Amino acid sequence: MGLTAGIVGLPNVGKSTLFNAITKANVLAANYPFATIEPNVGIVEVPDKRVDKLVEIYKPKKVIKTSFEFRDIAGLVRGASKGEGLGNQFLSHIRTTDAIVQVVRCFEDDEVIHVDGNVNPLRDIETILIELIFADIEVIEKRLPKIRKRAQLKTEKEAVYEYDLLNKLLEHLKDERPIRSYDLNKGEKELIKNYAFLTAKPMIYVCNVAEEDLNNMDNLYIKQVEEHAKKELADTVIISAKIEQELQELGLEERQEYMKELGIKTSGLDQLIHVSYETLGLKTFFTGGEQEVRAWTFRAGMKAPECAGIIHSDFEKGFIRAETIHYDDLVNAGSEAKAKEQGKFRLEGKNYIAKDGDIFHFRFNI
């Protein structure tokens, strides 16, 4: 299943540098606004040590890890919702993403200009939030007149329901609060899905810091962003985009040695990918055999037939059962044969809710 996170932020906060590191791509990273115009797209493998262990067990001819798409989107400026800068392009590109990764500048550097003159993370966050809020307000205000009469006549329950909800969301937005902070029930979430509201998307804040601040818990800028994120129930990742780009240019051993010197156990990019997964409620199941070991992404709560459908729609249509073993049980047993002897293989039906780490062999009939 294709999942996408859009990397956004004001000009010159380190978006393109971070994107370069994520994808090992040579994207233009220039010290002026709008160095990125079209959204650069990069597919990155999701690091998962379990795949390596499965390769040891199955010894397959082919290995495919699950992946995640990141898009580097043009820098936003104040007034984007009214078309300033590259506003309209920026907003349309965000609408097609599943989550927003907002890079926030948390470092001082006189040689890198700031579009607003000085470094102020909370002001930068507010600038983007307000523009996204304005864009969502515009969507609602265009929709309300189209359903007002039907809602007022109360002849259509759906119209009444939609009209009331949109008005509540409108007031919420006018209080400068994102839709993701509104307590939506399952039905309401389903209703607004097609609107692709920008402020309804999950937000991850990336604090882009200088090298010396990677392990500095006293950085005031980081504290400000973390406190703001907590209020929104959002996650925060601390990264030095410059260091991450340098790490990607090194071989595996050199990279590990450099990380050791820096005092970091996990790269910021790996942290970002895992946090993105958690934020979107994503899990991983596996398929394995002599031909191929592969990791697949699914959403928490999906049932076995839905997971089968991720591989191929025919698998879901003709689903019979899923022969299942959990990763931990397979590793402990050492092989599928021994796992079967130990009674760890299960036959699961249509109502089985998939778990992270499940290894499936789907049986189907069309």
Side-chain angles (χ1 to χ4, degrees):
M1 54 195 299
L3 292 150
T4 305
I7 303 176
V8 305
L10 295 178
N12 299 336
V13 298
K15 292 187 302 84
S16 293
T17 304
L18 176 61
F19 181 82
N20 290 349
I22 287 176
T23 62
K24 300 180 186 177
N26 187 25
V27 178
L28 175 64
N31 182 23
Y32 54 88
F34 316 131
T36 307
I37 298 176
E38 291 302 319
N40 296 284
V41 178
I43 308 296
V44 61
E45 284 188 342
V46 176
D48 194 329
K49 293 180 180 179
R50 293 175 297 181
V51 174
D52 300 329
K53 194 66 179 177
L54 292 177
V55 168
E56 288 180 23
I57 293 172
Y58 287 108
K59 297 177 174 55
K61 296 176 183 177
K62 188 177 180 181
V63 181
I64 303 176
K65 293 184 178 181
T66 189
S67 61
F68 200 92
E69 181 179 298
F70 284 94
R71 293 183 190 174
D72 180 27
I73 299 173
L76 183 76
V77 294
R78 189 173 283 105
S81 59
K82 305 300 180 185
E84 292 292 328
L86 296 167
N88 293 329
Q89 288 174 266
F90 173 94
L91 298 172
S92 66
H93 293 322
I94 299 179
R95 289 197 191 282
T96 59
T97 63
D98 298 291
I100 300 173
V101 174
Q102 184 176 162
V103 182
V104 184
R105 180 170 168 175
C106 295
F107 66 90
E108 298 280 358
D109 189 337
D110 293 338
E111 294 183 5
V112 180
I113 60 173
H114 190 289
V115 71
D116 285 328
N118 66 311
V119 178
N120 186 328
L122 294 183
R123 180 198 57 210
D124 294 353
I125 288 173
E126 183 181 20
T127 295
I128 289 184
L129 175 61
I130 293 301
E131 295 307 322
L132 300 185
I133 283 175
F134 282 162
D136 283 350
I137 287 175
E138 184 179 2
V139 170
I140 293 176
E141 289 182 338
K142 283 183 178 178
R143 176 62 178 166
L144 286 175
K146 297 178 181 178
I147 59 172
R148 182 175 291 123
K149 182 172 285 187
R150 284 183 289 148
Q152 290 174 341
L153 290 173
K154 300 186 184 300
T155 54
E156 298 177 31
K157 289 183 179 179
E158 294 82 3
V160 175
Y161 184 56
E162 181 182 0
Y163 187 75
D164 288 345
L165 176 59
L166 290 181
N167 273 297
K168 290 175 184 176
L169 294 179
L170 184 60
E171 290 305 309
H172 191 76
L173 289 165
K174 286 182 176 179
D175 285 339
E176 298 186 2
R177 291 181 290 170
I179 290 175
R180 62 179 167 273
S181 69
Y182 189 92
D183 188 18
L184 293 163
N185 61 39
K186 188 176 180 180
E188 291 169 336
K189 287 178 182 177
E190 193 63 32
L191 190 151
I192 69 168
K193 187 185 294 182
N194 291 334
Y195 285 101
F197 286 125
L198 302 178
T199 66
K201 296 180 183 296
M203 178 74 77
I204 300 166
Y205 291 104
V206 170
C207 296
N208 186 16
V209 302
E211 177 185 337
E212 58 269 22
D213 280 336
L214 266 178
N215 295 307
N216 180 12
M217 295 301 102
D218 294 324
N219 182 307
L220 178 61
Y221 295 147
I222 294 174
K223 288 182 177 180
Q224 290 175 340
V225 175
E226 287 179 334
E227 287 176 10
H228 176 85
K230 284 179 183 177
K231 294 176 185 177
E232 288 191 10
L233 301 177
D235 286 302
T236 306
V237 179
I238 301 169
I239 285 179
S240 170
K242 186 178 178 182
I243 293 298
E244 294 298 326
Q245 190 170 14
E246 290 175 3
L247 284 171
Q248 295 308 313
E249 294 168 358
L250 301 174
L252 182 60
E253 290 185 11
E254 290 177 305
R255 189 184 310 165
Q256 291 175 339
E257 187 62 33
Y258 190 23
M259 287 172 60
K260 191 176 179 180
E261 288 178 18
L262 294 170
I264 55 177
K265 294 181 180 179
T266 307
S267 76
L269 298 183
D270 284 357
Q271 292 178 51
L272 176 57
I273 292 167
H274 285 301
V275 168
S276 298
Y277 250 57
E278 291 171 10
T279 298
L280 289 170
L282 304 179
K283 305 292 182 182
T284 303
F285 73 83
F286 303 97
T287 52
E290 292 180 1
Q291 293 299 315
E292 178 184 277
V293 162
R294 183 163 183 169
W296 304 83
T297 300
F298 71 99
R299 291 190 184 277
M302 290 179 74
K303 294 181 179 179
E306 295 175 290
C307 289
I310 292 171
I311 299 175
H312 196 289
S313 58
D314 285 348
F315 285 24
E316 182 173 7
K317 291 175 185 175
F319 180 89
I320 299 174
R321 65 179 181 272
E323 295 177 3
T324 312
I325 183 173
H326 194 270
Y327 169 83
D328 292 336
D329 292 330
L330 177 63
V331 171
N332 289 335
S335 69
E336 283 195 358
K338 288 183 179 178
K340 287 178 179 177
E341 288 176 13
Q342 295 172 6
K344 297 298 183 181
F345 256 88
R346 295 169 281 119
L347 295 179
E348 301 291 358
K350 294 181 178 180
N351 293 320
Y352 175 70
I353 298 175
K355 297 180 178 63
D356 184 63
D358 274 340
I359 301 166
F360 286 126
H361 294 276
F362 293 112
R363 300 300 179 191
F364 69 103
N365 183 36
I366 296 295

